[in-house]
Amino acid sequence: MSLPPEKATELKQIIHEQLNRMNVHSKIREVLAETIKDELGDESHNFSEEDLIKALRRRGIIDDVMKELHFLEDGLSREFTSTPKPAIHFVDKEPRTLKKTNIDPSRRYLHLQVLGGKAFLEHLQELDPLPGQVCSTFTLSLHFRNQRFRSKPIPCACEPDFQDGFLLEVHKDSLGDASRMADATTLLSICDPIQLVLIKTDTSGETTLVASHFLEWRSVLGVDRGVTSLAVELQGVGAECKIPVGVLNVKLELYPPLTQTLSPEIVNTQLTLERQKTAEKERLFLVYAKQWWREYLQIRPSHNSRLVKIFAQDENGVNRPVCSYVRSLRAGRLLDTPRQAARFVNVLGYEKAPVVGGGGKQEQWCTMLAFLCRNKGDCEDHCTLLCSLLLGFGLDAYVCVGTKGRGVAHTWVMTYGTDGAVTFWESLTGQRYVHKPINPDDPPLVEQPKPLYPYKTIGCLFNHQRFLANCQPSDSVDLCVFDLNDESRWKPMSEEAIKSICSPGSTPSLPLFPPLCSSLLDSAAESNEIELQLRVLVTEHRKDLGLATVWDDQLSYLLSPALAAYEIERTTGISAGNEEFQDAIRRAVPDGHTFKGFPIHFVHRNARRAFATCLRSPFCDEIVGCRGDQMRLAVRVRVFTYPESACAVWIMFACKYRSVL
């Protein structure tokens, strides 16, 4: 490991101060004089450095120094892994440590370097932040063939200072090719692009999707030495998908270099053929979809008003079949059960696609990488992720498109059991509902099931292999019979037609699903940080009311089991541990005293925002502003982490005081 000059100088200074503090220099001089005099006599001219070290080791001086340095090791490592001086531009709350990568000499790699950006004109007027001031940051995320990377955050600027490199492994997965290094022809046949997603994070931690770009990297196969530089123009998203937002300077390099490069004409010809093939597949599917839609309308004229959604626009304004947004996705060891997957999707933030001006809802179904990197999205994004995870767990899952109360368009997820049982999953809340259809032909005295779900109508449902439109006389969810194999009730699309354009690898333009990433958050550290901030905010709030604040640490600790039980109940639907919590509170609150508690749940980690929300509740406001004899306050925060650094934050405010009549 090499240190920059200023760090090396600083390290030398610390070592020098440590040796002075231990008075090591005088000890060395004493040993030197004694050794020369007693052991070497007149042969001092032959005295070597090795002889001195042996003498120091015999007297235990070197061992003493090493023990002292070992004692300070943690302190030194903390000092050199953190910033040695105040941050000038921003504070990175998720420090990233560089890890060594084992390079397989039998594989070929693509080294992608991002060497700065320019023309991010939205930030042209931004002034340089003052020292120590927190500012908005850019983060660049990459996905290529099941490999994900993320740059370190850098301050937003007209010319952002991206200086990051990513090593992408390039090889064929097919039998017989995976064990040998990919040559130029094999590399040319790998049509997967590199997806780049640029996220802006503001000073309050809110994220915004700035750009999503698919980089065609194979131009590097037609240049000498396998090195090329590109100026990648990033387009906006949603309504601004045709407007440039900035340019990234990218350098691509193959490692090891190709022994025989391809001519640029061959590369361009291959890319042109792939585009033509993709366009032809899309044209044929569109022709089929139009014919299918005409047949559907001929069944019943009222079908024209049903929500049968065959295509949806992604963040780049590209129309894609809805089946391409779902894929069987396995979470590895990050999620253990379907219900835990539903909880994970639930704690990802909910935000409708932004609209400039009025005119109703802007439709935008995000690609999976854009949704995960942004950590929030619309209900369609949540549904496609939840459906993909449930498919990965082996369930027969579908995304349903319909309406909820007041005719508002909505999507949710349905699982179809082997026994015909139908379960609805609300992706925004994690709740599950069992569907039991109402038979309108039953006599009036027959008791009908009362639906608990909020859904009113359903137009269609789909997953990665099937698309079915509701052709029953009524599209009411209450009356709907979910026998998906009955074509008189559900009109299916050809599975072969869907497979031709939505199966993995069917078209190069179809983005692959990224693997989920484990959380970067330290649950205990985050919980402590938010709790300390809330204590300060409560103390300041009560000071403004003219009240003193005394905290009861033991009472705060006793609130932990309740918060854990709330999260378990949200995940599994089963309540547990309430008896122990109530017993502990009864023991902690003396006779004649009153206890009040207020739990609340958030999916963000902004303490000030959470406290402002809490104060809107009269119950919480009553606790925080409580007056009484021997009044003690308590607050407990518990952060439960999930993949993609999503989190569920539970907060509980409590107080106890002696009742005075």
Side-chain angles (χ1 to χ4, degrees), residues 32 36 44 89 100 137 155 175 195 240 246 312 324 329 348 383 431 446 471 482 536 579 611 640 644:
L32 182 61
I36 292 173
S44 60
H89 297 296
K100 291 184 178 180
T137 59
L175 188 65
Q195 187 176 3
E240 303 172 17
S324 68
L329 179 62
L348 290 170
C383 283
Q431 288 182 289
V446 175
C471 54
F482 287 91
V536 172
E579 299 83 1
F611 185 60
F640 296 89
E644 300 295 331

Side-chain angles (χ1 to χ4, degrees), residues 45-108:
H45 59 279
N46 293 326
F47 187 69
S48 66
E49 182 180 339
E50 185 179 350
D51 296 325
L52 176 61
I53 292 176
K54 286 180 180 177
L56 292 172
R57 186 173 283 115
R58 278 200 305 271
R59 285 162 177 75
I61 294 174
I62 289 181
D63 290 338
D64 291 342
V65 172
M66 294 308 295
K67 285 178 183 177
E68 191 72 17
L69 288 176
H70 178 71
F71 177 76
L72 292 175
E73 183 179 351
D74 291 339
L76 289 171
S77 64
R78 277 198 298 271
E79 182 158 352
F80 281 97
T81 52
S82 60
T83 309
K85 48 190 175 184
I88 300 299
H89 297 296
F90 70 98
V91 177
D92 182 7
K93 292 185 179 180
E94 296 177 4
R96 300 167 62 82
T97 56
L98 295 176
K99 296 181 180 178
K100 291 184 178 180
T101 303
N102 293 324
I103 296 180
D104 186 345
S106 66
R107 294 289 174 90
R108 200 175 299 279

Side-chain angles (χ1 to χ4, degrees), residues 85 195 211 225 241 312 371 649 661:
K85 48 190 175 184
Q195 187 176 3
R225 301 188 306 278
C241 62
F371 175 43
V649 179
L661 298 176

Side-chain angles (χ1 to χ4, degrees), residues 334-335 337-348 428-431 523 527 559-578 599-604 637-643 646-652:
L334 300 179
L335 297 169
T337 66
R339 297 194 185 190
Q340 193 180 13
R343 179 58 173 158
F344 157 58
V345 175
N346 158 222
V347 299
L348 290 170
L428 298 179
T429 64
Q431 288 182 289
S523 175
S527 301
L559 303 178
S560 297
L563 301 184
Y566 297 150
E567 182 62 20
I568 292 172
E569 186 175 3
R570 284 289 181 98
T571 303
T572 64
I574 300 170
S575 178
N578 193 42
I600 192 168
H601 169 256
F602 297 96
V603 294
H604 63 79
V637 177
R638 181 70 166 87
V639 176
F640 296 89
T641 58
Y642 287 90
C647 61
V649 179
W650 284 97
I651 301 173
M652 192 171 196

Side-chain angles (χ1 to χ4, degrees), residues 384-456:
T384 53
L385 176 58
L386 176 57
C387 183
S388 299
L389 289 169
L390 295 181
L391 288 168
F393 277 111
L395 301 181
D396 190 16
Y398 300 84
V399 175
C400 301
V401 181
T403 62
K404 54 182 182 179
R406 300 182 181 178
V408 177
H410 189 63
T411 57
W412 64 97
V413 176
M414 181 195 88
T415 51
Y416 190 70
T418 53
D419 57 353
V422 173
T423 306
F424 294 147
W425 303 65
E426 176 51 58
S427 64
L428 298 179
T429 64
Q431 288 182 289
R432 300 164 67 254
Y433 308 96
V434 177
H435 174 263
K436 293 180 180 177
I438 295 173
N439 188 351
D441 297 327
D442 282 343
L445 294 179
V446 175
E447 186 176 356
Q448 298 286 1
K450 294 182 179 180
L452 300 175
Y453 46 78
Y455 318 120
K456 300 301 179 186

